[in-house]
Amino acid sequence: MSVRELVVLGTASQVPTRHRNHNGYLLRWDGEGILFDPGEGTQRQMLRAGVAAHDLNRICVTHFHGDHCLGLAGVIQRINLDQVPHEVTAHYPRSGRRFFERLRYATAYRETVGLTEAPVAADGPLAVTPSYTLEARRLSHPVESYGYRLTEPDGRRMLPGRLAAHGIAGPDVGRLRREGRLGDVTLEDVSEVRRGQRFAFVMDTRLCEGVHALAEGCDLLVIESTFLDEDIGLATDHGHLTAGQAAAVARDAGVRHLVLTHFSQRYSEPEEFERQARAAGYEGELTVAYDLLRVPVPKRR
Ligand SMILES: [Zn+2]
């Protein structure tokens, strides 16, 4: 069975705390690993979470503030040290290319791995694989910031009752699936649409169109909630969201599992983020993230 889960490596904004590392999130999606926003200390957090450099196929950076990218130097060197046998692709806002280059070549090391840079300069798809399409959407933050979204293509689920009613069994089922028709029975007659799963990663941003577009219909949404609602003025000024704002987005988008993260060090009680998210009317599954947490992508409906 394919594994789809989020591994939380760090949950602090701006500065790490005694309990929270800088950001870092690994999404396991079938055989692939996508690392989002590796902040400082990500290499060690990977070790603690049982994530190897070999697990990484893609790195997605939302923007070039340190809490989202200072770990690149260590992670990229580790990928090379371990001689990861497959190619790794990195996405980041093109306007920050000089920062990426500096982090990639921060110190001397032996480059052994093909690391492809595929910078983002506009909304739209970045990669299409059999199990997902990866796309970016512009966010609203003092420096250029992009959120990311994975959409699995819709499939079809065979309906055993209908197959039986048409007397279709054994190898004929596979043939019908491949060819779309068997005699006068079509695939549509004996199956239904199985909606592809959706995941989005929304970091530093104030409310904007991109936030809603990324969140739409997500099975799993990871979204920043740097501030509590009473500090909404600060949030808006600095280009961030509050717990209530993030939860309202998830509520309107029909998100099934909401993961709040990227907390300001000014708050010591995570329960308050949960309380405010519920007060905003979000009724799906809710997780206030902490370091080394694993969150499975919800089972298909
Ligand atoms: Zn940040």
Side-chain angles (χ1 to χ4, degrees):
M1 216 193 99
S2 58
V3 174
R4 293 184 180 178
E5 68 167 358
L6 175 77
V7 182
V8 177
L9 302 169
T11 52
S13 69
Q14 199 170 43
V15 293
T17 71
R18 280 194 301 150
H19 302 291
R20 296 187 187 276
N21 198 80
H22 259 174
N23 288 293
Y25 310 84
L26 179 86
L27 180 69
R28 292 191 195 273
W29 191 272
D30 305 345
E32 267 204 54
I34 306 177
L35 177 65
F36 293 93
D37 281 2
E40 189 181 341
T42 295
Q43 184 181 180
R44 184 150 189 275
Q45 292 296 93
M46 285 169 58
L47 185 74
R48 297 179 70 202
V51 175
H54 280 62
D55 295 337
L56 307 181
N57 299 85
R58 219 176 267 285
I59 301 173
C60 296
V61 174
T62 59
H63 68 294
F64 285 98
H65 278 148
D67 52 324
H68 300 261
C69 63
L70 277 174
L72 281 171
V75 169
I76 291 173
Q77 289 193 24
R78 185 60 183 273
I79 287 169
N80 283 277
L81 181 72
D82 290 1
Q83 301 188 13
V84 168
H86 50 259
E87 182 152 313
V88 178
T89 304
H91 305 284
Y92 57 81
R94 192 167 67 189
S95 60
R97 177 175 260 160
R98 69 187 189 284
F99 300 122
F100 189 88
E101 296 303 322
R102 280 183 206 155
L103 289 160
R104 180 174 181 179
Y105 297 113
T107 70
Y109 68 99
R110 212 175 123 87
E111 229 176 354
T112 61
V113 174
L115 178 74
T116 303
E117 296 183 29
V120 185
D123 290 356
L126 298 169
V128 181
T129 79
S131 63
Y132 65 79
T133 295
L134 174 69
E135 65 181 309
R137 289 294 295 239
R138 182 78 193 265
L139 297 171
S140 173
H141 197 55
V143 303
E144 194 178 13
S145 186
Y146 284 92
Y148 296 93
R149 176 177 163 103
L150 260 80
T151 307
E152 179 188 30
D154 288 342
R156 293 203 75 88
R157 180 184 290 123
M158 302 305 269
L159 300 168
R162 302 252 193 100
L163 286 167
H166 286 91
I168 299 170
D172 280 346
V173 177
R175 223 167 98 212
L176 174 57
R177 196 187 253 287
R178 281 191 307 277
E179 294 169 13
R181 171 177 282 279
L182 189 76
D184 56 3
V185 179
T186 66
L187 184 57
E188 288 71 29
D189 293 335
V190 293
S191 66
E192 61 183 6
V193 172
R194 187 196 68 180
R195 202 192 74 146
Q197 290 191 306
R198 298 157 191 199
F199 167 87
F201 184 78
V202 179
M203 282 299 127
D204 301 15
T205 185
R206 49 179 75 81
L207 279 182
C208 66
E209 205 184 307
V211 175
H212 296 288
L214 288 160
E216 184 53 42
C218 274
D219 296 283
L220 184 61
L221 172 66
V222 180
I223 187 167
E224 71 124 307
S225 66
T226 312
F227 291 101
L228 289 172
D229 292 341
E230 51 270 34
D231 293 318
I232 191 165
L234 277 175
T236 308
D237 287 351
H238 292 93
H240 286 295
L241 299 171
T242 67
Q245 286 178 318
V249 167
R251 176 199 67 205
D252 295 346
V255 167
R256 296 176 64 203
H257 192 154
L258 169 64
V259 177
L260 299 177
T261 185
H262 189 274
F263 306 111
S264 165
Q265 78 270 17
R266 76 185 58 224
Y267 309 114
S268 55
E269 285 169 23
E271 305 75 31
E272 194 55 17
F273 286 88
E274 179 166 0
R275 204 192 60 70
Q276 293 192 357
R278 289 302 184 200
Y282 174 73
E283 290 175 352
E285 206 167 336
L286 172 62
T287 299
V288 176
Y290 52 88
D291 292 15
L292 307 181
L293 170 72
R294 306 175 101 87
V295 183
V297 176
K299 280 202 168 61
R300 292 178 192 284
R301 265 197 279 244

